[in-house]
Amino acid sequence: MRRQLETVLREAMRAGSLAAGARLPSSRDLARQLGVSRGVVVDAYGALGAQGFLRLRERAAPTVASRPDSPAGQHADEQPPIAPPPRFDFAATTPDVSLLDRRAWIRALERSLRDAPDAALDYGDPRGDLGLRRCLVDYLGRVRGVVATPSQVVVVQGFSQAIDLAFRVLAAAGARRVAFEDPSHDEQWVAARRAGLEPVPVPVDGDGIRIEPLAALAPDAVVVTPAHQFPTGAVLESSRRRALLAWAARSDALVIEDDYDSEFRYDRAPVGTLQGLDPSHVLYVGTVSKTLAPALRLGWSVVPAKLLDRFVEAKRYADSGSPALEQLALAHLIDSGAYERAVQRARIAYRRRRDALLAALEESLPDCEVEGIAAGLHVLLRLPAGVGAPEIAAAAEARRLHVRQVADFSLTEQTASQSALVLGYGRLPEPAIAPAVRELAAAVADLS
Ligand SMILES: Cc1ncc(COP(=O)(O)O)c(C=O)c1O
């Protein structure tokens, strides 16, 4: 269906019946019109964007790109207008990159380059620098209860690369389907589809992913966010943790543990990793994307023995190993304690923002319920009955607020029908939070 849709749209653009600058419906609307899942449209749009046929912008409907070989492109010298940046950005997937201590990073990089032996600048072990892998084993063992030897650690370019490698390895071994929490991060389903795997949804409630549907779905792997479910914020409850691992052991399935923001927890005790409970069935992945900056493309995976050789081989053929100097710099930061100090500083800053957000919501939107507040960089805002999230998101957009709804992360219509917004505070400095929430409340008022 994705390919069919992609072909139809491409032909219309080639023939000029969809002219440069024309605005297409949002993926959500088109999916509804065609009666297909939103993922089909997202994938088709994504492919056409990558091929240069569509201009894709976050939170805006795609427009047909102007290309020299398109009939419209030959005449259209006007670029489609670039949407002005949002006044307030509630993005939930990005941290405040301005918190990165650039001086500390420069010092660590400089030191890496100065002190690195020549061998460190050559092609190396695709798993990454041994020094970094050793210090990750210590750090993750101490802070997250991860059980590993350095030989099992593979330094990756973020969680995105880890699942890409894992999915390719699984698909090559004959895997067919991978289960995802519903709702969950939408780009991860695309990664599965690109590897030829079928994403299957598993419902999430206040205790995290439900385990009993797994037996009937029989996926080869399941991707979970147990410390802080994305985007609901639920913590995977302890009997479910045990049940999940028991299911994985029984069915010899892989659990992929996305530990994307566990460093930021505010008023609850740390939750250990699934990996620490069953290293042979859990592929554990962490990242600096929230703690330092996504652009560094640095993360780590701890790979179960049965997958290790194939995973390392996939990493070798993907990029011959992650960039070496950044790995050495990260090892310096972790070894010297600077990494944990940076996490601690960021935690204090985000906690203040979280508190400011809760206070502002209480004041401006007292009828909404707020969930998932104990950790991470976002909360879930449940709208009162009768208030539709798509309408609120559109009204917010008109006021130049960037807000995503749970429906954007939903694999099924049932979850998509939940009326809830995902409010991130990584991109909102503390003083901007109250005005941003007042503006959101005004968007809600626009509709009443
Ligand atoms: C749920 C979730 N997992 C993982 C990541 C991190 O991905 P990466 O490490 O590839 O930057 C993010 C970042 O937005 C996320 O929201």
Side-chain angles (χ1 to χ4, degrees), residues 116 218 244 384:
L244 175 62

Side-chain angles (χ1 to χ4, degrees), residues 125-407:
D125 188 325
R127 286 174 295 190
D129 176 71
L130 181 58
L132 173 60
R133 290 188 281 125
R134 283 194 180 125
C135 86
L136 282 168
V137 165
D138 288 347
Y139 171 71
L140 295 172
R142 186 161 49 78
V143 175
R144 302 295 297 128
V146 166
V147 178
T149 62
S151 64
Q152 278 175 276
V153 176
V154 180
V155 178
V156 286
Q157 302 203 33
F159 180 79
S160 319
Q161 184 179 47
I163 48 165
D164 186 51
L165 300 178
F167 289 163
R168 280 198 245 171
V169 166
L170 289 169
R176 306 278 293 276
R177 15 169 63 187
V178 50
F180 287 92
E181 297 168 328
D182 184 31
S184 53
H185 197 314
D186 44 351
E187 285 172 15
Q188 299 177 0
W189 325 325
V190 179
R193 292 193 188 102
R194 286 170 62 91
L197 298 171
E198 180 198 358
V200 290
V202 182
V204 164
D205 62 23
D207 287 328
I209 186 171
R210 287 189 23 218
I211 310 302
E212 66 294 352
L214 286 170
L217 292 170
D220 301 280
V222 55
V223 180
V224 286
T225 46
H228 188 232
Q229 204 278 328
F230 185 87
T232 67
V235 178
L236 187 60
E237 185 269 332
S238 61
S239 65
R240 288 201 188 174
R241 290 170 171 257
R242 287 193 300 276
L244 175 62
L245 295 173
W247 164 81
R250 253 194 331 272
S251 31
D252 201 25
L254 182 69
V255 175
I256 302 178
E257 179 168 23
D258 178 4
D259 205 25
Y260 67 108
D261 73 358
S262 61
E263 295 84 356
F264 301 121
R265 69 199 128 64
Y266 311 113
D267 18 46
R268 65 167 163 75
V271 193
T273 57
L274 293 174
Q275 194 276 351
L277 300 174
D278 186 354
S280 56
H281 290 100
V282 180
L283 167 64
Y284 171 85
V285 189
T287 176
V288 305
S289 287
K290 304 283 185 195
T291 52
L292 299 179
L296 297 179
R297 307 314 302 140
L298 262 176
W300 43 83
S301 53
V302 178
V303 187
K306 61 179 176 179
L307 209 68
L308 185 60
D309 288 347
R310 287 171 293 150
F311 191 91
V312 174
E313 192 192 8
K315 172 70 178 163
R316 177 192 299 280
Y317 287 106
D319 61 9
S320 304
S322 293
L325 294 175
E326 282 77 0
Q327 294 187 53
L328 298 174
L330 180 62
H332 285 314
L333 287 191
I334 297 178
D335 264 347
S336 66
Y339 182 73
E340 277 173 82
R341 285 194 296 277
V343 168
Q344 177 62 12
R345 272 196 306 276
R347 190 184 294 137
I348 291 168
Y350 289 133
R351 189 198 172 116
R352 290 168 62 108
R353 293 184 195 191
R354 193 275 315 249
D355 292 346
L357 179 61
L358 295 182
L361 289 170
E362 176 68 38
E363 187 172 321
S364 302
L365 288 164
D367 297 337
C368 297
E369 269 177 44
V370 190
E371 292 174 20
I373 61 173
L377 304 180
H378 69 271
V379 300
L380 192 80
L381 187 75
R382 292 215 183 268
L383 298 165
V387 181
E391 291 75 23
I392 300 291
E397 196 75 43
R399 289 175 169 271
R400 293 198 22 231
L401 294 181
H402 171 96
V403 190
R404 293 190 78 183
Q405 15 163 356
V406 164

Side-chain angles (χ1 to χ4, degrees), residues 3-70:
R3 265 199 297 278
Q4 245 175 353
L5 178 59
E6 187 186 322
T7 309
V8 168
L9 290 173
R10 197 189 304 105
E11 288 319 310
M13 287 183 268
R14 280 212 174 109
S17 49
L18 271 175
R23 188 177 287 269
L24 267 62
S26 71
S27 54
R28 193 153 191 77
D29 286 347
L30 188 57
R32 205 174 286 131
Q33 284 168 31
L34 299 176
V36 298
S37 82
R38 192 171 151 248
V40 169
V41 183
V42 169
D43 282 3
Y45 279 178
L48 291 165
Q51 296 155 19
F53 284 89
L54 284 184
R55 282 169 55 82
L56 304 175
R57 286 158 306 155
E58 248 205 325
R59 296 301 303 151
T63 49
V64 177
S66 154
R67 291 173 312 110
D69 63 339
S70 72

